[in-house]
Amino acid sequence: MAEHHPSDIQINSRQGTAIHPVEADGQSLQASGSVAYWEVKQFRKWIPWLIPSFVIANIVMFIITMSVNNCPKNSVSCIARFLGRFSFQSLKENPLLGPSSLTLRRMGALEVNKVVHGNQLWRLVTCIWLHAGVFHLLANMLSLLVIGIRLEQEFGFLRIGLLYVISGFGGSLLSSLFIQSNISVGASGALFGLLGGMLSELITNWTIYSNKVAALVTLLVIIVINLAVGILPHVDNFAHIGGFISGFLLGFVFLIRPQFGWVSQRYTSQTNSSFGANHKFKIYQCVLWIVSLILLIAGFTAGLVLLRRGFDANRHCSWCHYLSCVPTSKWSCNSETTYCLSQQVGNQLNLTCSSNGKFGTYILPNASNSEIQGLCSSLCS
């Protein structure tokens, strides 16, 4: 998916006049019941391990992908050949220092044709663990560490893990309804889901933040800037938008916190009623929780049904493609897939590019599909 990465936001620490739940004695809370201990633990700092595990998993998958790619064996032109089978495709074919598109397809990249006609729905999830190159991988993993670890410390591995994976799925789903001619890979949809979750968490837990307006404005500016970068060519902004919307709704469901006053009154100094609250959650929190859950279920269900039917959203929205790329005098948004007509005559391979009509002759006996693809990319660039 997109090479650009979301940025971090610094939100002020939670402050208030009520007794903070973590000031209560841990042993007495454990003794009072597991429910009480869990409610208080929501305000404690978790030790992050899942997000670092996700980073390691993405790096391992990239190494495996490069091993499968094996550029020296399958392509004529490679970069950093001293790396052996881990060397990169030529910059003309992949400017991000990574594998060929054919290898990414084999490893599980999002390819709408195979999802719809090949019943390969699993590609909606596997694509978020693949990356197009070293630069793509580094940008996303640095962003994941900066944003994800902070969120996992606040809310724990289970909720943030679900938020990450489901948001990535949502980004892939929206992308597959709009971008159907190219493959898509990357964790950007899931990363934007974390940004969306941060925004909804700020809204639903509004009363426990200090300097909340400044935090909201800062977060909105970061989100707008990152989405604006998505209008550049070769960036899947639909995955960004789908991931953000999914994460925004999931934040209302997963990241809701009880009121400080309610927790303090129930589990700490119960004699001081001035800090108390009658209800665990405010009414607006419950309303947002219900509405968001309904929208998530309805949206995912409708999206999957439309995808299975081969729905092309661009045919019903003439302007939506501008959400992902805005053409200017500096660049073009033409993303048509190029291909070449090939003819093998003995040891000679003849290629003709379909997009510009260029003709090339190569001495290459028994050329593989990867070699032909690499030569075609160079010929058509």
Side-chain angles (χ1 to χ4, degrees):
M1 296 186 184
E3 293 76 28
H4 183 75
H5 59 287
S7 304
D8 186 25
I9 177 173
Q10 298 295 329
I11 298 179
N12 293 330
S13 302
R14 295 175 177 81
Q15 298 176 359
T17 56
I19 300 174
H20 199 288
V22 299
E23 295 176 358
D25 179 66
Q27 294 181 352
S28 63
L29 288 172
Q30 286 181 320
S32 65
S34 58
V35 176
Y37 184 69
W38 169 254
E39 287 167 342
V40 173
K41 192 174 180 179
Q42 291 186 70
F43 294 97
R44 293 179 179 271
K45 292 290 185 181
W46 295 71
I47 298 177
W49 62 268
L50 184 63
I51 293 299
S53 299
F54 281 173
V55 172
I56 294 174
N58 277 278
I59 294 174
V60 170
M61 280 303 304
F62 183 74
I63 294 174
I64 294 174
T65 302
M66 293 306 302
S67 177
V68 172
N69 186 66
N70 197 359
C71 183
K73 179 181 179 181
N74 298 313
S75 300
V76 176
S77 177
C78 300
I79 297 177
R81 280 187 172 270
F82 64 89
L83 295 175
R85 66 185 304 126
F86 298 100
S87 57
F88 311 111
Q89 299 296 129
S90 66
L91 291 178
K92 287 186 177 181
E93 183 177 357
N94 188 341
L96 299 176
L97 294 181
S100 66
S101 58
L102 180 61
T103 299
L104 291 172
R105 285 188 173 95
R106 291 174 178 173
M107 295 298 294
L110 178 59
E111 190 173 6
V112 176
N113 183 56
K114 292 186 177 180
V115 173
V116 176
H117 302 292
N119 296 320
Q120 298 180 6
L121 285 173
W122 47 267
R123 288 180 178 271
L124 294 170
V125 177
T126 56
C127 66
I128 68 177
W129 304 98
L130 299 173
H131 287 83
V134 174
F135 298 140
H136 190 197
L137 178 70
L138 287 177
N140 280 347
M141 292 305 100
L142 288 174
S143 300
L144 180 56
L145 286 173
V146 171
I147 299 173
I149 286 183
R150 182 181 182 87
L151 285 173
E152 188 177 351
Q153 287 176 333
E154 291 289 329
F155 297 99
F157 69 93
L158 181 59
R159 287 186 282 182
I160 299 306
L162 288 173
L163 176 63
Y164 180 86
V165 174
I166 298 175
S167 296
F169 175 83
S172 299
L173 186 57
L174 185 64
S175 174
S176 63
L177 295 176
F178 284 94
I179 300 179
Q180 303 190 342
S181 60
N182 298 322
I183 64 172
S184 183
V185 295
S188 298
L191 288 171
F192 269 82
L194 296 181
L195 277 178
M198 290 175 67
L199 178 59
S200 55
E201 188 272 330
L202 176 60
I203 294 173
T204 194
N205 300 322
W206 186 257
T207 57
I208 67 175
Y209 275 89
S210 62
N211 298 327
K212 57 194 72 177
V213 175
L216 177 62
V217 171
T218 304
L219 183 55
L220 287 175
V221 169
I222 290 173
I223 292 170
V224 169
I225 291 174
N226 281 278
L227 288 175
V229 173
I231 66 175
L232 297 173
H234 309 302
V235 177
D236 187 359
N237 209 30
F238 287 112
H240 294 175
I241 296 171
F244 176 80
I245 294 174
S246 300
F248 181 71
L249 295 176
L250 286 167
F252 291 120
V253 177
F254 289 151
L255 308 184
I256 184 173
R257 287 189 188 273
Q259 299 180 69
F260 273 175
W262 183 87
V263 177
S264 299
Q265 181 186 43
R266 188 172 181 185
Y267 302 120
T268 57
S269 179
Q270 299 188 27
T271 59
N272 193 343
S273 59
S274 62
F275 296 144
N278 293 328
H279 303 286
K280 182 176 180 180
F281 300 108
K282 290 184 175 294
I283 295 178
Y284 80 87
Q285 289 179 302
C286 299
V287 171
L288 289 172
W289 190 93
I290 295 172
V291 172
S292 297
L293 186 61
I294 293 174
L295 290 176
L296 279 168
I297 295 174
F300 282 141
T301 302
L304 286 171
V305 170
L306 292 174
L307 178 61
R308 294 289 291 169
R309 293 180 178 178
F311 180 80
D312 186 355
N314 291 299
R315 296 180 180 177
H316 303 272
C317 181
S318 59
W319 57 269
C320 285
H321 62 279
Y322 291 117
L323 294 175
S324 187
C325 183
V326 176
T328 68
S329 59
K330 301 293 184 180
W331 65 72
S332 171
C333 292
N334 183 15
S335 59
E336 294 181 358
T337 303
T338 59
Y339 63 92
C340 295
L341 299 176
S342 63
Q343 181 182 25
Q344 185 82 50
V345 182
N347 293 335
Q348 179 176 302
L349 175 66
N350 300 321
L351 293 179
T352 303
C353 178
S354 61
S355 60
N356 56 26
K358 289 183 178 180
F359 178 81
T361 301
Y362 309 90
I363 304 301
L364 193 64
N366 301 321
S368 65
N369 289 333
S370 297
E371 291 173 325
I372 294 176
Q373 184 187 37
L375 292 171
C376 180
S377 299
S378 300
L379 187 64
C380 294
S381 60

